[in-house]
Amino acid sequence: MPSYTVTVATGSQWFAGTDDYIYLSLVGSAGCSEKHLLDKPFYNDFERGAVDSYDVTVDEELGDIQLVKIEKRKYWLHDDWYLKYITLKTPCGDYIEFPCYRWITGEGEIVLRDGRAKLACDDQIHILKQHRRKELETRQKQYRWMEWNPGFPLSIDAKYHKDLPRDIQFDSEKGVDFVLNYSKAMENLFINRFMHMFQSSWSDFADFEKIFVKISNTISERVMKHWQEDLMFGYQFLNGCNPVMIQRCTKLPEKFPVTTEMVECSLERNLTLEQEIEQGNIFIVDFELLDGIDANKTDPCTLQYLAAPICLLYKNLANKIVPIAIQLNQVPGDESPIFLPSDAKYDWLLAKIWVRSSDFHVHQTITHLLRTHLVSEVFGIAMYRQLPAVHPIFKLLVAHVRFTIAINTKAREQLICEYGLFDKANATGGGGHVQMVQRAMQDLTYTSLCFPEAIKARGMDSTEDIPYYFYRDDGLLVWEAINTFTAEVVGIYYKSDQVVAEDQELQDFVKDVYVYGMRGKKTSGFPKSIKTREKLSEYLTVVIFTASAQHAAVNFGQYDWCSWIPNAPPTMRAPPPTTKGVVTIEQIVDTLPDRGRSCWHLGAVWALSQFQDNELFLGMYPEEHFIEKPVKEAMARFRKNLAAIVSVIAERNKNKKLPYYYLSPDRIPNSVAI
């Protein structure tokens, strides 16, 4: 009688093992086997991290094995099981791999296909077509779209983390409990004694050091020492937490009436302001998005304020970017003076602090939350709904949406919800952040997620003109590496543009993103369909780059740049100044966040800047969804390209007082998971 050797690998994460009864049956081209109980006497089967082998004898020839069925039945109490893969050795000595990487819960059953990636057009056998269809029908019931707030990209239909499908939950919910993590962060930073001191001002700038953890030679310490300097202020628009706002100024907006006379002491080339603009030496950052956003009113004891400043910057003879004029709201006039470096010291300093605070709000809510977290969730939900596990694009993307839906659900549960943690310390809490996302959706376009296009659109692409823009330089290297990799994978499975255009599952995935994620807005420029291999490679590069590199660039520097509170105030407790010559240091300190809010802010930026335990970085694919040699070779080349980028960045950073490492591939997690 024919005999098969079945090897079963259990996951190594917590609670992956099971004591339940596991049954296996084989489905072949010539027949189906009986159900076989996988059990070895006097042996604890399916322990966490175990790889167990069993001999399965069948009554008759089964032909080519097409499917493997696994059933789990209760032994004592329901015991979830994480199955990594099954390997089958056939009677004639062939090995067939069946990747799974999923949880089997309750009295569950999973039907697996072998690991070769297949498009729908490759499946000619009825049973395989049926398996493909059934999997998507099941997933579409599990992964449903929901509107969390009007005008937002749609998100997963789950109120709490525990309501999510088991496969996309965190291994341990405790690890992503924001309340727990922020409190733990405050404890680790020895600042919990201040956390309830709301309304209590610091006495001066030095007083902020009481909650500032000095870790020698770090960026945060350098920020603390140099935050008042114009050079440090300008540098952050290029390589800080929010390096996406600065653009080349080609014409001064009418609402910002800066003249040559105002700024001539800052200009170094003996040119007028207009001539400097023509030569490409003037840059602008406009926080128009914040105009009219409601400030946080959740604490009746503390009035909080927002501004919508415009900042003009200048590239000096040393090719460094420095601020030369700041207007603190969008309408010029007597009560909206233009602040200048030649003004009184504290006038100019407070104007810069307002810009830094505004930058913090746009960074947190738009650059970080909307344009990485929420966008990646859209790609993830669409993938689970429209691409079966056997599809090559599912196999490619699944590592890049790992835990994204889970972290966002947790954020909606604890962080950005009504009365959530975000309300505690942020001036845009209490609903302002929701208004901001609704507004920013107008500017969320497909091309703005294509990294080279986004840089070009802001006029920031010339390395000769703007030499110290490391976010751009490193981002382009990583984008190119990802694009080369996706093009190789696309080339393996799609032999022509026609195959792309005729892949209905792929088209349904792209359409889901457009219709539900982008709410069917034509102006978003998101494709409704994809017709060529080149466009498909670009689309996949957008998905992977957004989830990995873009998120890393705007997330993991938060402690570096925002832990020194005066450099990134999460709220301001007095309105912007309307006249010059009256600002004092006492006034600035009373405007900056109080002790309690400072502590919550510090706990947040510390917690958000930490990597996950067992983080998987770009190019790491420990789950072997792909089994074919050509793809594995493409992955190896991808890793080699990434390693070369790591070396280039490390070499550039040598001896730099302010190294830029957020886009070094060995520090870029595969997915948005924090």
Side-chain angles (χ1 to χ4, degrees):
M1 288 195 294
S3 178
Y4 295 82
T5 303
V6 177
T7 303
V8 180
T10 296
S12 51
Q13 60 270 64
W14 286 103
F15 313 115
T18 188
D19 289 327
D20 282 356
Y21 296 113
I22 303 297
Y23 295 91
L24 171 134
S25 36
L26 304 173
V27 179
S29 55
C32 299
S33 75
E34 295 285 311
K35 261 201 303 198
H36 291 266
L37 175 65
L38 300 181
D39 185 37
K40 286 189 264 194
F42 313 113
Y43 177 76
N44 201 347
D45 305 273
F46 315 117
E47 285 289 278
R48 178 163 80 104
V51 178
D52 300 314
S53 289
Y54 304 87
D55 289 324
V56 171
T57 303
V58 297
D59 298 337
E60 53 193 45
E61 287 290 340
L62 299 176
D64 294 336
I65 299 298
Q66 292 163 340
L67 300 170
V68 169
K69 267 187 199 172
I70 297 284
E71 289 177 60
K72 185 168 77 66
R73 296 290 173 256
K74 188 164 72 172
Y75 167 65
W76 185 246
L77 295 166
H78 277 309
D79 194 6
D80 295 350
W81 179 42
Y82 188 85
L83 171 60
K84 282 170 74 176
Y85 61 82
I86 287 176
T87 306
L88 202 62
K89 186 185 177 190
T90 66
C92 53
D94 294 334
Y95 285 88
I96 311 172
E97 291 177 56
F98 294 85
C100 180
Y101 302 103
R102 285 165 61 195
W103 288 93
I104 306 177
T105 58
E107 301 265 296
E109 174 185 295
I110 276 187
V111 182
L112 301 176
R113 284 183 59 161
D114 78 75
R116 290 169 302 170
K118 297 283 183 190
L119 300 175
C121 62
D122 301 328
D123 282 342
Q124 302 304 326
I125 300 163
H126 173 71
I127 194 171
L128 297 180
K129 287 180 175 179
Q130 191 184 33
H131 176 264
R132 200 174 187 116
R133 194 184 68 247
K134 265 190 173 166
E135 183 184 7
L136 288 182
E137 282 170 3
T138 306
R139 289 235 216 100
Q140 283 164 15
K141 285 175 192 157
Q142 286 182 307
Y143 296 83
R144 300 172 308 278
W145 295 103
M146 175 196 77
E147 183 178 69
W148 186 65
N149 256 305
F152 271 52
L154 294 195
S155 45
I156 194 81
D157 184 7
K159 201 170 180 190
Y160 304 108
H161 178 268
K162 62 180 171 50
D163 303 332
L164 292 170
R166 184 70 180 91
D167 287 331
I168 59 167
Q169 289 182 24
F170 280 103
D171 298 334
S172 151
E173 202 179 342
K174 255 206 321 248
V176 286
D177 187 302
F178 286 109
V179 179
L180 205 68
N181 287 355
Y182 286 20
S183 305
K184 209 160 56 183
M186 286 188 262
E187 213 171 291
N188 291 345
L189 299 167
F190 307 109
I191 57 173
N192 40 353
R193 66 187 186 279
F194 297 112
M195 64 190 275
H196 302 298
M197 294 173 71
F198 289 91
Q199 287 83 50
S200 164
S201 291
W202 302 95
S203 51
D204 53 29
F205 293 143
D207 205 19
F208 281 98
E209 289 190 46
K210 285 182 181 163
I211 60 162
F212 185 74
V213 180
K214 282 191 192 174
I215 308 161
S216 63
N217 297 326
T218 58
I219 289 174
S220 55
E221 190 178 3
R222 200 162 174 81
V223 170
M224 182 194 80
K225 285 178 181 161
H226 301 280
W227 71 281
Q228 298 188 39
E229 296 166 16
D230 287 354
L231 277 172
M232 178 62 90
F233 178 90
Y235 177 86
Q236 292 179 72
F237 285 117
L238 297 177
N239 302 309
C241 254
N242 196 24
V244 301
M245 296 292 290
I246 187 170
Q247 48 187 313
R248 200 187 287 273
C249 179
T250 51
K251 184 178 184 290
L252 213 55
E254 283 179 22
K255 63 182 180 180
F256 193 25
V258 183
T259 64
T260 300
E261 292 70 47
M262 288 179 184
V263 296
E264 63 187 339
C265 61
S266 299
L267 307 179
E268 298 179 355
R269 294 178 177 86
N270 293 323
L271 300 171
T272 65
L273 181 57
E274 285 67 30
Q275 289 168 327
E276 293 280 17
I277 288 172
E278 275 169 34
Q279 291 205 1
N281 298 323
I282 302 293
F283 299 85
I284 193 165
V285 179
D286 189 349
F287 294 96
E288 187 177 12
L289 183 94
L290 287 164
D291 194 27
I293 296 291
D294 293 333
N296 191 340
K297 295 183 179 67
T298 56
D299 178 358
C301 301
T302 305
L303 287 174
Q304 299 180 60
Y305 297 89
L306 292 167
I310 313 171
C311 179
L312 207 62
L313 299 127
Y314 176 62
K315 184 183 73 173
N316 65 18
L317 287 171
N319 283 328
K320 300 290 170 66
I321 303 286
V322 290
I324 57 171
I326 293 169
Q327 182 178 289
L328 292 180
N329 64 48
Q330 295 287 309
V331 182
D334 294 343
E335 297 212 337
S336 178
I338 293 173
F339 291 94
L340 307 163
S342 52
D343 289 341
K345 178 184 174 182
Y346 292 127
D347 280 0
W348 180 235
L349 183 59
L350 183 56
K352 288 192 293 178
I353 291 172
W354 269 106
V355 172
R356 293 293 316 130
S357 183
S358 303
D359 193 61
F360 174 79
H361 296 310
V362 172
H363 164 260
Q364 283 295 10
T365 304
I366 308 307
T367 310
H368 183 210
L369 172 66
L370 172 61
R371 297 180 70 92
T372 63
H373 277 258
L374 300 185
V375 168
S376 286
E377 180 176 4
V378 165
F379 291 133
I381 299 168
M383 181 200 78
Y384 279 112
R385 284 174 54 80
Q386 304 298 352
L387 299 175
V390 71
H391 198 290
I393 304 304
F394 178 91
K395 290 172 181 278
L396 176 66
L397 295 184
V398 67
H400 300 288
V401 298
R402 178 175 176 259
F403 298 147
T404 301
I405 301 171
I407 194 74
N408 287 0
T409 304
K410 206 73 189 152
R412 285 187 286 270
E413 195 183 318
Q414 293 184 321
L415 195 60
I416 54 175
C417 53
E418 204 175 352
Y419 310 118
L421 287 174
F422 198 79
D423 290 356
K424 270 193 185 298
N426 292 286
T428 50
H433 60 306
V434 172
Q435 295 169 1
M436 286 173 72
V437 170
Q438 289 163 337
R439 245 182 228 189
M441 278 295 285
Q442 311 309 316
D443 302 318
L444 180 57
T445 61
Y446 177 72
T447 49
S448 73
L449 296 177
C450 294
F451 190 79
E453 300 294 319
I455 295 288
K456 215 174 280 178
R458 292 188 287 110
M460 300 295 292
D461 45 319
S462 170
T463 48
E464 206 178 311
D465 276 359
I466 312 155
Y468 301 110
Y469 197 11
F470 308 127
Y471 163 73
R472 170 203 59 206
D473 301 342
D474 301 355
L476 287 169
L477 292 176
V478 176
W479 172 275
E480 203 41 57
I482 295 171
N483 199 31
T484 302
F485 172 53
T486 59
E488 284 189 43
V489 175
V490 166
I492 293 167
Y493 294 102
Y494 294 90
K495 295 305 175 196
S496 69
D497 290 344
Q498 187 183 349
V499 182
V500 173
E502 291 174 358
D503 180 355
Q504 195 51 51
E505 290 167 341
L506 170 68
Q507 303 305 334
D508 290 343
F509 161 64
V510 171
K511 190 178 174 186
D512 241 33
V513 170
Y514 172 73
V515 171
Y516 299 106
M518 296 309 123
R519 313 302 298 267
K521 279 202 192 93
K522 274 188 186 168
T523 50
S524 73
F526 269 75
K528 294 179 201 172
S529 60
I530 288 179
K531 300 282 192 273
T532 68
R533 295 193 295 175
E534 189 184 348
K535 274 290 168 200
L536 176 55
S537 305
E538 180 189 76
Y539 194 90
L540 298 172
T541 304
V542 166
V543 177
I544 295 172
F545 186 90
T546 301
S548 57
Q550 186 59 23
H551 180 255
V554 303
N555 182 71
F556 292 103
Q558 290 188 78
Y559 187 78
D560 288 349
W561 295 102
C562 304
S563 57
W564 180 246
I565 309 286
N567 188 58
T571 189
M572 298 287 262
R573 295 180 296 143
T578 53
T579 52
K580 293 188 182 189
V582 293
V583 178
T584 63
I585 185 157
E586 291 76 23
Q587 200 181 324
I588 294 180
V589 172
D590 284 342
T591 300
L592 287 167
D594 55 42
R595 292 166 193 253
R597 284 179 178 81
S598 298
C599 290
W600 279 98
H601 167 80
L602 203 54
V605 296
W606 170 268
L608 289 169
S609 300
Q610 307 307 305
F611 292 122
Q612 289 275 2
D613 294 341
N614 310 319
E615 189 73 80
L616 297 175
F617 294 97
L618 195 55
M620 291 166 71
Y621 296 103
E623 293 185 354
E624 294 199 34
H625 291 274
F626 281 115
I627 63 164
E628 297 98 313
K629 199 177 171 193
V631 191
K632 291 193 170 185
E633 287 170 349
M635 284 176 171
R637 283 190 293 276
F638 182 39
R639 277 191 287 274
K640 197 176 170 189
N641 286 345
L642 294 173
I645 295 170
V646 171
S647 302
V648 167
I649 293 172
E651 187 58 38
R652 186 217 38 229
N653 282 339
K654 261 188 195 166
N655 307 320
K656 269 205 184 315
K657 288 172 184 165
L658 273 177
Y660 185 82
Y661 42 69
Y662 310 117
L663 282 169
S664 183
D666 57 348
R667 287 170 174 257
I668 298 176
N670 257 333
S671 63
V672 175
I674 188 79

